[in-house]
Amino acid sequence: MASDEADDHTTMLRGFIERFAGVLSDSGIPRMPSRVFAALLSSDSGRLTSLELAELLEISPAAVSGAVRYLTQVGLATRERDPGSRRDRYRVLADGWHETMLRRDQVLLRWESSMGEGVALLGTDSPAGERLKESMAFFAFLRRELPQLLERWQQERTELLQDPSSGSRL
């Protein structure tokens, strides 16, 4: 790729990263982790060093470190080191979304439990108690359905990985 083409590609990639990071940020993921995750996800290898991320995103290594800390805590990325190297690489996890959704079950249970306290306090004969009861039922529904949904995804993912005609390189 010629220098001008490489610059154009980098500019377009940075634009995509910022747009996708904005979507993630609007969904509740902090801005800097959203940017780092989008950069990792859009790299061919799915692995970048702190320096590579800092240069691509035009941010400080400290900002990369904080973002990666968040991403590792929520299960969307991991830190690894090549044998014999002192340089960390950050890698997006192939099944990160799946793992994140599995953890979501625990969050839903906590929300459901907290809402149950509100229902007990307010009773179902009040509008607030009725809203909490409906919300609690919704989260109970999600918790019941989530395992089957994730299992179906695992089956579909396995089929995609095994089918060379799908054009996918999952």
Side-chain angles (χ1 to χ4, degrees), residues 6-55:
D7 290 345
D8 288 346
H9 177 74
T10 300
T11 299
M12 289 188 309
L13 177 60
R14 284 181 174 148
F16 164 74
I17 288 169
E18 294 305 323
R19 287 187 302 278
F20 185 47
V23 170
L24 294 172
S25 186
D26 289 347
S27 302
I29 298 175
R31 182 81 180 142
M32 197 58 66
S34 293
R35 293 179 73 207
V36 169
F37 180 73
L40 288 170
L41 195 61
S42 61
S43 71
D44 281 344
S45 67
R47 299 172 60 199
L48 295 169
T49 66
S50 179
L51 181 61
E52 290 167 332
L53 284 163
E55 287 176 356

Side-chain angles (χ1 to χ4, degrees), residues 1-169:
M1 199 180 311
S3 179
D4 288 343
E5 289 176 10
D7 290 345
D8 288 346
H9 177 74
T10 300
T11 299
M12 289 188 309
L13 177 60
R14 284 181 174 148
F16 164 74
I17 288 169
E18 294 305 323
R19 287 187 302 278
F20 185 47
V23 170
L24 294 172
S25 186
D26 289 347
S27 302
I29 298 175
R31 182 81 180 142
M32 197 58 66
S34 293
R35 293 179 73 207
V36 169
F37 180 73
L40 288 170
L41 195 61
S42 61
S43 71
D44 281 344
S45 67
R47 299 172 60 199
L48 295 169
T49 66
S50 179
L51 181 61
E52 290 167 332
L53 284 163
E55 287 176 356
L56 176 62
L57 300 174
E58 299 177 328
I59 60 176
S60 72
V64 171
S65 179
V68 169
R69 187 176 319 109
Y70 175 89
L71 293 171
T72 58
Q73 288 172 349
V74 299
L76 289 174
T78 188
R79 179 186 320 247
E80 54 189 35
R81 189 170 285 179
D82 292 330
S85 172
R86 296 180 63 184
R87 181 176 294 168
D88 286 332
R89 288 193 178 275
Y90 306 109
R91 180 173 57 92
V92 68
L93 297 173
D95 61 349
W97 293 118
H98 181 262
E99 293 301 316
T100 299
M101 293 307 293
L102 285 174
R103 279 194 213 96
R104 183 61 56 192
D105 182 63
Q106 297 164 1
V107 172
L108 293 173
L109 180 60
R110 287 180 32 213
W111 291 353
E112 187 181 339
S113 175
S114 291
M115 288 181 192
E117 290 177 36
V119 170
L121 173 69
L122 300 169
T124 57
D125 55 345
S126 71
E130 193 58 41
R131 275 192 308 275
L132 285 171
K133 180 181 173 189
E134 183 178 343
S135 295
M136 193 171 93
F138 175 71
F139 291 125
F141 170 79
L142 287 178
R143 281 191 328 100
R144 278 193 319 271
E145 295 298 317
L146 192 57
Q148 292 88 349
L149 181 64
L150 293 174
E151 185 177 318
R152 287 197 325 263
W153 162 246
Q154 285 296 76
Q155 291 169 353
E156 186 168 321
R157 183 175 184 264
T158 299
E159 291 169 11
L160 284 170
L161 289 169
Q162 293 173 349
D163 181 5
S165 68
S166 71
S168 175
R169 294 188 324 181

